[in-house]
Amino acid sequence: MTIDHTRTRPLRPRPVRARRAALTTLAATLAASLTACGFVNSDDSSTEDGGGGSGTVTAYVNTEQNAGLAPLVEAYEEETDSTVDVSSANTDELNQQLRVQLTSGTAADLIRVSPGNSSPVAAGVLGAEGELADLSDAAWTADLSDDTRALAEVDGQVLAFPVSRNAIVMAFNKQVFADAGVEVPTTWTELIAASEALAAAGVTPIAAPFQGGIYFQFWVYALAGTLVYAEQPGIDAQMEAGETTFATSPEWGEVFAKMADLRDAGFLSDGMLGLPPDQGLQAVATGEAAMVLMVSAGLPQLYGYAEEGAEAFDVFALPATDDAGATRVPVAPDFLAVNAAGDQEAAMEFLDFLAQPENVEEYANEMGVLPGLALDVDLENTALDPIQPLLSEGRSVAYANYLWPNGDVQQTMLQSGQEWLDGAIETADLLGQMDAEYARGRS
């Protein structure tokens, strides 16, 4: 996979985001009001206050997208004399409601969908069912990075627009590293050596807030990015064809062997299966632990636990081999798609507006995320600078689970992974259970 970030400029520091906070509050208030009223897609394309505008685009997004879209919606309405009627909910609620809305014909013109096949409302699933409009003719499709295109396409048609992307990164407490005399590891051997030095200094090397399994999956995807997909980029097609499985793949076996090495060496948090994510982040912020593997979207939460804020932390790409050049960064897009039964033309016009470089830049800076499209935009946040060289070199991959046939494989991994971490089942048992769910998804 390649990702064209050769034109991406270095990220710049940004002051406290009072404006963002205000917009977030405004967006949340708007979302609450609209949600309380209940969302209903209207066939009425007229605007109530558009003064003769071209029409109304209805949108149903998650609360995070709503915060980033708010200023762009305002700009679009001013520029086009149209209306964008946005409703939002948290992702879990949205995923539950969207299915019902699509079935009943009340879904919005523009909807938030998950990547690949990761949920019943993912681009791959809804696309295969004919629920999404074909966006392939849009000019912005030329700026899709390869890892994003793989998740946005179904049968060669582009069905989703990435408003942003997030990466899985290892965040670490800079002072803890300095006190232990530890340098940023670039290979697996260096990561082990760093963990040994941190443990000797009386620090938990790696916070492992694995309660519920959410943070556990980040390890699987990050290690798989390097150990599986860098070695076998076509493994999803091979698994789909029944040519290999989790249990028979040496690469997948190595993913869990590496995790077992960290667990057995005592480098992960004590009581990790009962440790909630917020406590894991706080452990790193206070210096009780040195590092934590997380999604970049969660970095502001980590910053909030330290008096120094973002200045206390840095990130690096998790190495999985002793070849630093082989390390890959898992990247996930956050998608919007067009409801095939909605006002496609109006929704596509709004996506074209979002795809303009200045608006891609605005959204990324507003949310502190990677731009959804591989455009030459000027990012203000320096948090992800350490992984930018890897992205520029095309060393990124999609999260492994997105191209699995359904979300049940991931759920099995999360649930049985708890037993595996606890030593109750062997790696072969866990991978066998994942294979069984994968096979059910193919049938």
Side-chain angles (χ1 to χ4, degrees), residues 22 25 31 34 49 62 69 83 98 125 142 203 246 259 273 303 321 341 376 393 398 414 419 423 427 441:
T25 301
L34 291 171
D49 55 1
N62 65 20
L69 290 173
T83 299
L98 187 54
V125 175
V203 175
F246 291 113
M259 277 290 297
L273 296 181
Y303 300 160
T321 72
D376 182 13
E393 296 166 11
L414 298 181
E419 297 179 79
T427 300

Side-chain angles (χ1 to χ4, degrees), residues 5-349:
H5 280 167
T6 54
R7 296 167 293 168
T8 301
R9 300 172 190 167
L11 303 166
R12 297 195 312 254
R14 195 178 195 196
V16 176
R17 294 168 176 253
R19 176 168 173 259
R20 176 179 170 183
L23 284 170
T24 301
T25 301
L26 175 62
T29 302
L30 175 62
S33 299
L34 291 171
T35 302
C37 293
F39 176 79
V40 177
N41 184 29
S42 171
D43 290 331
D44 182 4
S45 61
S46 64
T47 60
E48 295 181 354
D49 55 1
S54 59
T56 297
V57 180
T58 57
Y60 189 33
V61 302
N62 65 20
T63 51
E64 292 80 8
Q65 287 179 332
N66 197 16
L69 290 173
L72 296 173
V73 166
E74 181 179 349
Y76 181 75
E77 291 180 335
E78 290 179 355
E79 180 176 310
T80 65
D81 204 19
S82 299
T83 299
V84 183
D85 187 2
V86 181
S87 180
S88 71
N90 67 54
T91 302
D92 288 343
E93 182 181 356
L94 182 147
N95 288 350
Q96 293 173 8
Q97 293 182 350
L98 187 54
R99 260 290 177 186
V100 177
Q101 293 172 356
L102 287 167
T103 301
S104 63
T106 60
D109 304 320
L110 202 61
I111 53 179
R112 190 266 180 186
V113 299
S114 307
N117 304 312
S118 56
S119 80
V121 291
V125 175
L126 295 179
E129 296 173 355
E131 297 282 6
L132 304 180
D134 182 6
L135 310 177
S136 302
D137 291 337
W140 52 260
T141 61
D143 296 313
L144 288 170
S145 57
D146 286 351
D147 51 37
T148 300
R149 182 180 293 278
L151 302 175
E153 284 188 343
V154 174
D155 297 331
Q157 294 183 338
V158 176
L159 300 178
F161 171 81
V163 293
S164 67
R165 290 175 298 159
N166 283 297
I168 295 177
V169 296
M170 183 72 93
F172 66 96
N173 186 314
K174 293 191 291 187
Q175 189 60 54
V176 172
F177 265 43
D179 291 345
V182 171
E183 300 289 335
V184 172
T186 61
T187 67
W188 183 257
T189 296
E190 291 177 1
L191 178 70
I192 297 299
S195 297
E196 291 172 343
L198 290 161
V203 175
T204 298
I206 302 170
F210 289 165
Q211 185 184 79
I214 299 300
Y215 273 62
F216 167 65
Q217 68 178 329
F218 301 153
W219 279 91
V220 175
Y221 306 152
L223 290 172
T226 299
L227 297 172
V228 178
Y229 290 94
E231 295 294 325
Q232 300 284 348
I235 193 167
D236 286 313
Q238 295 170 17
M239 292 181 68
E240 174 65 23
E243 297 171 358
T244 188
T245 67
F246 291 113
T248 59
S249 162
E251 293 82 11
W252 271 110
E254 192 173 3
V255 167
F256 289 91
K258 295 284 189 185
M259 277 290 297
D261 287 346
L262 298 177
R263 176 197 60 190
D264 296 344
F267 294 153
L268 305 179
S269 303
D270 290 337
M272 55 188 165
L273 296 181
L275 186 66
D278 59 339
Q279 291 185 24
L281 299 182
Q282 291 175 42
V284 177
T286 62
E288 177 185 339
M291 46 188 158
V292 59
L293 193 68
M294 59 189 297
V295 293
S296 54
L299 288 172
Q301 182 183 1
L302 175 65
Y303 300 160
Y305 291 130
E307 290 184 3
E308 306 91 332
E311 295 300 316
F313 308 98
D314 208 341
V315 304
F316 62 89
L318 177 70
T321 72
D322 282 342
D323 177 5
T327 301
R328 299 291 188 273
V329 180
V331 176
D334 192 19
F335 280 145
L336 288 174
V338 175
N339 175 11
D343 187 341
Q344 296 183 27
E345 183 177 358
M348 289 178 184
E349 288 177 359

Side-chain angles (χ1 to χ4, degrees), residues 358-402:
E358 62 270 25
N359 295 330
V360 172
E361 179 178 294
E362 171 73 15
Y363 189 96
N365 286 327
E366 189 64 35
M367 300 298 290
V369 295
L370 294 167
L373 297 174
L375 291 168
D376 182 13
V377 299
D378 189 6
L379 300 180
E380 298 177 348
N381 192 318
T382 62
L384 298 180
D385 275 6
I387 67 166
Q388 287 289 356
L390 280 72
L391 301 180
S392 298
E393 296 166 11
R395 291 159 56 189
S396 60
V397 296
Y399 290 12
N401 65 306
Y402 286 155

